[in-house]
Every structure is written in structure tokens, then in C-alpha cells.
Amino acid sequence: MRKKLICGNWKMHTTIEEAMALTKSLLEGKSDAMTSEMAICVPFVSLHAVKSLLLNGEIALGAQNVHFEEKGAFTGEISPVMLESLGCKYVICGHSERREIFGETDAIVNRKVQAILAHHMTPILCVGEDLAQREAGKAVAVVEEQLKLDLQNISKEDLAASVIAYEPIWAIGTGKTATSEEAQEMCKSIREYIAKLYDQETADAVRILYGGSVKAANAKEILSQGDIDGALVGGASLSAADFLPIAEA
Ligand code: PGA
């Protein structure tokens, strides 16, 4: 049984003070009855402060990016060793904003996935097509190509414990959500492809999230789909009033 994961991606938002205030309101508002796992991927500069509030592990801590080397002359970069020592459980990689704005290739994403796993953290590997690719009927092929390249040299045990997030680029931050059928269809096809690349056991174990304009109003329907194991939430994770109802959906 795959445990649902509701993960906030705060992107480049919040000062340290704001990050701490938001974390406190999530902790205060979170119901004990919640059956899904909750995680927040906060800006690097707030990881330490937020971690100090999450000591009982009710909410897991995540980072939004990582460099693939452990240390060295990489001015401005953050290494997996640093994130592990901060107590990060999750690290987002392959997000479309990193691919599109910062030119991250699948080869780079693959090295990041390997680095995250080598340091005992869980990658949240994002894949997804843009609007032109979807309209050209190439969405599945695009996503499969990303998975094939991003998962090179990843063992089946490691993949089974990892998280994949299907995030159609046309639905990110646009208010335009994929319908629950579209999201389910792609998450199912990702699972089938993992079964082909690995085996059915691995495909049944890996958690596949949907991301792209998830909000309280559409979360229940999206999360009730058989192959969708949670959500990666951007905009709506920046307020407890918006995020908690998604986690409870
Ligand atoms: P959004 O972002 O929920 O604001 O669309 C999702 C994401 O980029 O992970």
C-alpha cells in the first residue's frame, strides 16, 4: 500500500521569518487524523530554521534542488552532503523550471538523482510535457524519454523508494489543471513504463504524484485516482489555509 504524499514546493518565496511562521501554522493546523505524509520543500536559506521546528517529524523537510558533487569549487551550489546533514528527507530534481530556465539536461538530472540517493535522501523526480508536445500527441513519448534518461543506473530498490512527480508544464502556475482523467492516464502510463523498464513490483512500489495548479477545490478528485499517490503543490502551499485542506483531501 503506497502512502500518499502531499508535498509543498515553496519555490523562491518566503524570508526565514515567513518560512518559520508558515511552518508553525502548518504544525498548529495539521490534524492528527491525517493519513497522508506531509512534506515541505523550502528555500535553502530556511532549511535549518524550519528543521528546528520539525523535530518530531510530523512534517518532512525537503530541498528544491541540489548539486551532484559532494564538495568542491562550485560557487553558489549546495551539495547533497549539506542537505543530508540538515536533515532533509526529500529533494526535488528535474523540475521544469530548472530544466527550462536553468538549462538542466536529463544527464544532469540523472546525476542529481544518483547523488540524492547516495546520501540517503529521496528524490522527487519531476517529469512532464509542454503544451505543444501534448497537442502534438507526444506527451507519453516525452515523459518516457525523460524517465529513461533520468533513471539511468538507478537500481530497482532505489527506484521503488523514490517519488516521481508528473507535472505537465502547461499546468504549472497557470491555474490550468489537468483533468483528473488526464492526470490519472499519465500516472498510469508512467507506472506501466516503470514496469517495462524494471518490473511490476517496482512499478507497484514507486509513488507517483501529480503537480500543476493543485488546490483545495480539485485535490480530492485528483487524489482519488488509482495511480496518483499524492500531489506536488506550488502556489497553494504558501498558506496553511490553502495547503492543509489539500493534505486532508
Ligand atoms: P503550482 O506549481 O502548484 O503553482 O502549479 C506546482 C509545481 O511547480 O511543483
Side-chain angles (χ1 to χ4, degrees):
M1 188 61 185
R2 298 183 297 266
K3 186 166 185 161
K4 288 233 183 328
L5 171 63
I6 309 299
C7 183
N9 172 10
W10 293 4
K11 306 194 181 183
M12 198 171 72
H13 294 287
T14 69
T15 60
I16 295 182
E17 289 74 18
E18 288 162 351
M20 291 181 81
L22 177 50
T23 304
K24 283 180 193 158
S25 37
L26 291 175
L27 286 167
E28 279 158 19
K30 189 176 179 293
S31 123
D32 293 334
M34 203 178 282
T35 53
S36 50
E37 180 184 1
M38 193 193 282
I40 47 178
C41 295
V42 313
F44 287 132
V45 294
S46 295
L47 283 169
H48 185 64
V50 167
K51 181 65 187 175
S52 69
L53 301 174
L54 300 180
L55 293 177
N56 65 3
E58 278 183 88
I59 301 177
L61 184 67
Q64 301 170 18
N65 186 26
V66 67
H67 192 267
F68 46 77
E69 293 289 353
E70 296 191 340
K71 62 182 173 186
F74 301 102
T75 301
E77 291 295 323
I78 305 288
S79 88
V81 177
M82 298 170 189
L83 296 182
E84 184 183 17
S85 78
L86 277 163
C88 287
K89 178 171 181 190
Y90 294 102
V91 185
I92 296 174
C93 55
H95 192 282
S96 60
E97 285 151 17
R98 304 261 1 138
R99 293 178 191 261
E100 292 198 324
I101 306 170
F102 301 100
E104 282 188 16
T105 61
D106 286 301
I108 293 174
V109 174
N110 174 243
R111 291 186 73 180
K112 293 187 176 195
V113 174
Q114 296 190 53
I116 295 163
L117 288 163
H119 290 278
H120 317 105
M121 298 177 288
T122 303
I124 299 179
L125 169 64
C126 302
V127 293
E129 81 287 357
D130 65 24
L131 189 57
Q133 291 164 332
R134 173 155 284 259
E135 286 174 346
K138 294 189 185 137
V140 170
V142 166
V143 168
E144 289 186 353
E145 181 69 6
Q146 288 174 333
L147 289 169
K148 187 175 85 191
L149 299 172
D150 298 348
L151 295 175
Q152 298 270 323
N153 299 314
I154 305 300
S155 72
K156 86 187 206 95
E157 292 75 20
D158 276 342
L159 180 61
S162 297
V163 177
I164 294 171
Y166 168 55
E167 297 211 308
I169 297 170
W170 47 272
I172 296 177
T174 56
K176 202 174 161 188
T177 327
T179 63
S180 51
E181 292 79 24
E182 284 168 330
Q184 160 61 19
E185 205 178 298
M186 183 63 90
C187 290
K188 179 164 181 271
S189 119
I190 290 173
R191 206 178 296 288
E192 287 166 357
Y193 187 63
I194 298 296
K196 219 181 324 167
L197 278 184
Y198 291 80
D199 54 29
Q200 193 59 47
E201 192 189 2
T202 310
D204 288 339
V206 67
R207 288 190 287 179
I208 304 176
L209 315 184
Y210 167 78
S213 299
V214 175
K215 39 191 178 290
N218 58 26
K220 209 179 183 103
E221 201 187 323
I222 290 170
L223 294 171
S224 67
Q225 305 298 315
D227 284 290
I228 302 181
D229 305 315
L232 186 54
V233 186
S237 69
L238 290 171
S239 99
D242 291 331
F243 190 55
L244 288 169
I246 298 174
E248 274 152 18

